[in-house]
Amino acid sequence: LFGASSIDESFWDEMEEILIRADVGIHATTQIIDKLKMRAKERNAKEAEEIKELFKSEMVEILTVENGNFINEDSLNVLLLVGVNGVGKTTTIAKMAYKFIGSDKKVLLAAADTFRAAAIEQLQEWGKRLGADVVRHQRGGDPAAVVFDAISAARARNMDILLVDTAGRLHTNVNLMEELKKIKRVVLKELHVDSVKIGLVVDATSGQNAISQARLFNDALGLDFVVLTKLDGTAKGGIVVAIEDEFKIPIWLIGTGEGLDDLRHFNPQKFVEALFG
Amino acid sequence: SLSSKLQNIFSKLKAYGKLGEKQVEEVLREIRLALLEADVNFKVVKDFISNIKERAVGVEVMESLTPAQQVVKIVNEELTKLMGGVSNKVTFASKPPTIFMLVGLQGSGKTTSSAKFANYLKNMGKKPFLVAADIYRPAAIEQLESLANELGVSIYSDKKSGACKEIVRAGIKQAIREGSDVVVVDTAGRLHIDEEMMKEAREVKEATSPHQVLLVVDAMTGQDAINVAESFKEKLGFDGIILTKLDGDARGGAALSIRAVTKKPIKFISMGEKLDSLEVFYPDRMANRILG
Ligand SMILES: Nc1nc2c(ncn2[C@@H]2O[C@H](COP(=O)(O)OP(=O)(O)OP(=O)(O)O)[C@@H](O)[C@H]2O)c(=O)[nH]1
Ligand SMILES: Nc1nc2c(ncn2[C@@H]2O[C@H](COP(=O)(O)OP(=O)(O)OP(=O)(O)O)[C@@H](O)[C@H]2O)c(=O)[nH]1
Ligand SMILES: [Mg+2]
Ligand SMILES: [Mg+2]
């Protein structure tokens, strides 16, 4: 791919193709390329390999967002996972629980998807495998009530972390977004904002629509982190570059499979290498 | 919208009468942008634009009094052609039961679509039967059982079985025994690059000889859509597509990419989580949505 060592129009076309095919999107790609063209000029760069490295470091920079601790050591932490349908929220909750239990944290799960068929049963099955309790109500119940009870239970049992699973919903569904805002209000009535973190789960196979998802979920709730799932497929997940560029929400974790163990910390360097790989 | 964008370009360029190559380039850039924003595959866009260019610098536009309208018309025609004719007619096997097998990536909407499709068939006057062949995902069987119960549709499941082939064979036997004429098989989500799981899918297909294999695809899928569709076509083979989650604001360009590359028809679209939200696919409506 970088056999031609001269920087001509076909080189930039090649770079554009790599980025677009990775789902970085035409807009973010154009911005990155314009910036790189200037940088290449400033440095009087002549070698394709050199510019390629500049591309990578530019993208690593975009993907490196300052993020404080997501977990406080000395108080109850509530982590709420949200996102559109089918992206991997429930499975990610299970994986996060596995990770925290592995570091000797006391973890409680809240089945706040009271809508979808067998959503509660799905989380209960994971709870069983993890040895973690699941707070649940009837299907069709008020998700905010489930969360309220879960917080009481977490306090009573001196839990370190409460993980809240929510129903999948399209960011364009106003009523469902209001339901999430209500859940957030209920949580913030009980806990200090520093103890509450809201994460958006994004599917690596998604295209430009994930930007709209990030925008509307962020507008409604304020997002503290992103989890990028299904990176074990062939999709590159480049959409996070566009999301990061615009919203600066840190990417905390990535999903690399369907098992409890398939969760890793997001590493911008590795991610960018894989994108160009 | 793209039509108003194109109108804008033409009015700025005062392109009345003759249409210069420069104006065409500008228009093509706008169209390319719209299609890429809509998640149409990079290569499909490239080929599509060169086709449009060929027609746009042709006589019909050059001689046209309203070049913008002409170009938009060409784009719409080419898009609709690419999306395929209205091929929504559900066909059935000559000898019942007709078997449909739903496959696709994790979370694309297979289980929900299986239930919706059963409901659709029921409303058509058929006697559908569901088979829960996802033995991996926690509570997958319970999910389909719950939906079947809601619809009053018969279902076969076996929580103890570790063999999909056996489940579907037993399910079809049960369906025949009950006099069902259509069987809808829900399968586990799988990656096209997971050789074990693709092999299992082939085994289930061989064991059931489905009348149709339907690939369920999430409308928000990006550039990877082609990899997935080509892989499923090559390793398993499928006959049609169900495109889900079109009730959101995803433009759905994956539909165009998959159609362009596999030539397979989109049979249905899913417009929501309710069990009556499966709709027949209209290519011209989809073309308009993709253009934005
Ligand atoms: N290959 C792969 N599959 C995943 C990953 N994360 C989740 N899945 C699968 O994706 C499917 C959907 O996962 P869920 O956890 O049910 O997704 P969800 O967001 O909770 O779905 P809804 O609650 O219905 O909106 C399941 O089959 C999971 O096993 C991942 O990182 N890689
Ligand atoms: N908004 C919306 N949600 C949908 C649509 N179709 C399915 N869903 C939702 O998408 C999520 C995933 O659907 P499932 O049917 O569980 O997907 P699946 O392909 O069977 O998932 P796996 O078995 O894990 O691979 C659920 O929350 C569904 O309710 C749709 O057309 N619109
Ligand atoms: Mg879930
Ligand atoms: Mg399923």
Side-chain angles (χ1 to χ4, degrees):
Chain A
L1 194 63
F2 294 94
S5 60
S6 70
I7 311 305
D8 55 6
E9 207 45 48
S10 72
F11 169 79
W12 297 109
D13 287 348
E14 266 175 41
M15 297 309 302
E16 185 192 52
E17 180 164 349
I18 293 176
L19 293 180
I20 291 181
R21 291 178 67 165
D23 283 315
V24 174
I26 181 73
H27 295 292
T29 297
T30 306
Q31 286 184 342
I32 293 170
I33 289 187
D34 288 347
K35 192 167 185 187
L36 261 301
K37 277 181 173 169
M38 275 207 307
R39 258 195 203 166
K41 210 175 197 167
E42 288 167 7
R43 299 165 61 122
N44 202 11
K46 292 278 186 291
E47 294 299 321
E49 271 310 310
E50 183 184 357
I51 309 237
K52 189 180 171 191
E53 287 310 309
L54 288 179
F55 258 100
K56 288 185 190 173
S57 58
E58 171 63 17
M59 291 179 57
V60 169
E61 200 173 319
I62 293 173
L63 292 170
T64 305
V65 178
E66 195 54 59
N67 55 354
N69 260 336
F70 293 111
I71 304 291
N72 302 311
E73 290 301 321
D74 49 6
S75 57
L76 173 65
N77 296 276
V78 176
L79 300 177
L80 194 70
L81 283 198
V82 300
V84 301
N85 308 73
V87 294
K89 298 176 293 299
T90 306
T91 312
T92 299
I93 293 254
K95 293 175 186 177
M96 288 172 79
Y98 181 72
K99 180 166 116 62
F100 293 136
I101 290 169
S103 338
D104 291 323
K105 297 259 179 277
K106 311 239 289 300
V107 181
L108 183 67
L109 307 179
D113 177 354
T114 58
F115 169 74
R116 206 205 70 208
I120 295 171
E121 287 78 354
Q122 184 185 5
L123 192 65
Q124 283 183 309
E125 175 58 27
W126 281 119
K128 197 156 148 232
R129 296 182 194 188
L130 291 159
D133 284 339
V134 179
V135 173
R136 57 153 296 176
H137 286 186
Q138 290 267 42
R139 183 182 173 194
D142 178 7
V146 177
V147 178
F148 181 83
D149 280 359
I151 292 174
S152 311
R155 281 186 166 137
R157 302 181 213 178
N158 207 10
M159 292 283 156
D160 299 311
I161 301 174
L162 171 63
L163 294 172
V164 181
D165 186 22
T166 64
R169 71 203 65 222
L170 293 183
H171 45 301
T172 46
N173 186 317
V174 177
N175 291 341
L176 294 184
M177 295 305 283
E178 282 304 314
E179 178 185 86
L180 273 186
K181 285 188 197 170
K182 178 177 171 203
I183 292 177
K184 182 181 177 184
R185 279 197 299 275
V186 164
V187 176
L188 289 184
K189 268 220 191 102
E190 303 300 315
L191 289 144
H192 190 273
V193 66
D194 293 344
S195 304
V196 182
K197 298 283 184 289
I198 303 180
L200 178 71
V201 181
V202 174
D203 190 325
T205 66
S206 45
Q208 300 307 296
N209 192 249
I211 299 178
S212 174
Q213 295 169 24
R215 177 174 302 116
L216 295 190
F217 276 98
N218 195 37
D219 286 350
L221 305 167
L223 296 171
D224 298 295
F225 64 92
V226 166
V227 178
L228 182 65
T229 61
K230 307 181 195 171
L231 269 177
D232 47 317
T234 50
K236 301 281 188 175
I239 193 61
V240 292
V241 175
I243 291 177
E244 242 18 37
D245 209 22
E246 195 168 339
F247 306 107
K248 307 277 180 278
I249 307 163
I251 304 162
W252 181 13
L253 303 160
I254 60 173
T256 57
E258 301 189 71
L260 287 173
D261 201 10
D262 296 319
L263 189 74
R264 294 182 211 155
H265 279 105
F266 177 72
N267 179 323
Q269 225 91 26
K270 284 202 182 137
F271 180 81
V272 171
E273 282 299 335
L275 196 148
F276 279 85
Chain B
S1 75
L2 187 76
S3 342
S4 51
K5 276 194 203 148
L6 295 181
Q7 294 286 355
N8 223 348
I9 298 175
F10 280 108
S11 62
K12 270 201 247 134
L13 301 179
K14 299 232 182 298
Y16 300 120
K18 276 277 186 182
L19 183 69
E21 187 141 351
K22 178 167 179 304
Q23 285 102 330
V24 172
E25 288 298 338
E26 195 126 346
V27 169
L28 293 181
R29 220 186 339 268
E30 287 294 324
I31 295 171
R32 178 177 184 262
L33 192 64
L35 294 178
L36 288 176
E37 281 178 332
D39 292 319
V40 181
N41 181 269
F42 186 87
K43 176 110 199 337
V44 170
V45 173
K46 206 171 185 178
D47 295 343
F48 185 74
I49 295 295
S50 63
N51 286 342
I52 302 286
K53 181 170 186 177
E54 220 169 296
R55 282 188 65 185
V57 294
V59 179
E60 58 183 303
V61 178
M62 296 308 213
E63 303 299 323
S64 163
L65 291 175
T66 57
Q69 259 88 310
Q70 265 297 36
V71 174
V72 172
K73 180 164 165 292
I74 290 172
V75 174
N76 252 305
E77 283 174 2
E78 289 296 319
L79 257 189
T80 308
K81 198 192 302 169
L82 209 49
M83 291 300 327
V86 177
S87 56
N88 50 337
K89 211 167 154 300
V90 184
T91 62
F92 297 92
S94 47
K95 179 171 173 293
T98 299
I99 300 168
F100 293 94
M101 178 180 165
L102 270 63
V103 299
L105 292 183
Q106 291 88 348
S108 57
K110 299 173 294 300
T111 303
T112 322
S113 297
S114 299
K116 289 178 186 176
F117 190 34
N119 191 33
Y120 181 87
L121 293 163
K122 191 171 175 205
N123 292 336
M124 257 184 129
K126 296 289 178 189
K127 193 164 182 296
F129 188 97
L130 286 164
V131 176
D134 178 355
I135 54 174
Y136 305 101
R137 170 174 151 155
I141 295 176
E142 284 80 347
Q143 185 184 3
L144 194 62
E145 283 179 334
S146 166
L147 295 173
N149 189 19
E150 212 177 312
L151 291 173
V153 169
S154 294
I155 180 171
Y156 179 84
S157 63
D158 183 347
K159 296 194 180 83
K160 300 232 170 62
S161 170
C164 276
K165 251 194 302 186
E166 301 316 320
I167 293 175
V168 293
R169 280 208 192 102
I172 292 170
K173 277 212 187 90
Q174 179 65 19
I176 291 172
R177 220 174 287 140
E178 289 192 13
S180 290
D181 50 12
V182 192
V183 178
V184 180
V185 181
D186 179 29
T187 68
R190 72 201 64 226
L191 291 179
H192 48 301
I193 53 172
D194 184 335
E195 296 309 332
E196 276 302 313
M197 287 299 283
M198 292 308 285
K199 178 161 173 271
E200 179 197 83
R202 279 196 299 275
E203 290 178 350
V204 169
K205 186 179 180 185
E206 267 157 54
T208 57
S209 309
H211 176 68
Q212 295 227 324
V213 175
L214 300 175
L215 181 68
V216 180
V217 178
D218 192 323
M220 68 181 190
T221 309
Q223 295 289 313
D224 199 45
I226 292 223
N227 293 336
V228 177
E230 281 187 315
S231 230
F232 267 89
K233 181 178 178 190
E234 176 201 338
K235 297 180 185 176
L236 176 69
F238 64 91
D239 305 288
I241 296 153
I242 297 178
L243 195 63
T244 62
K245 307 177 203 172
L246 275 167
D247 43 318
D249 59 352
R251 297 263 287 275
L256 185 66
S257 314
I258 294 180
R259 170 73 196 181
V261 169
T262 67
K263 305 284 184 271
K264 298 295 180 183
I266 296 173
K267 292 295 205 177
F268 295 102
I269 58 173
S270 175
M271 294 292 283
E273 291 189 81
K274 294 223 193 89
L275 292 175
D276 59 358
S277 56
L278 200 68
E279 295 177 12
V280 144
F281 172 73
Y282 289 105
D284 51 347
R285 280 189 207 168
M286 194 70 212
N288 266 317
R289 178 183 181 127
I290 289 173
L291 274 183

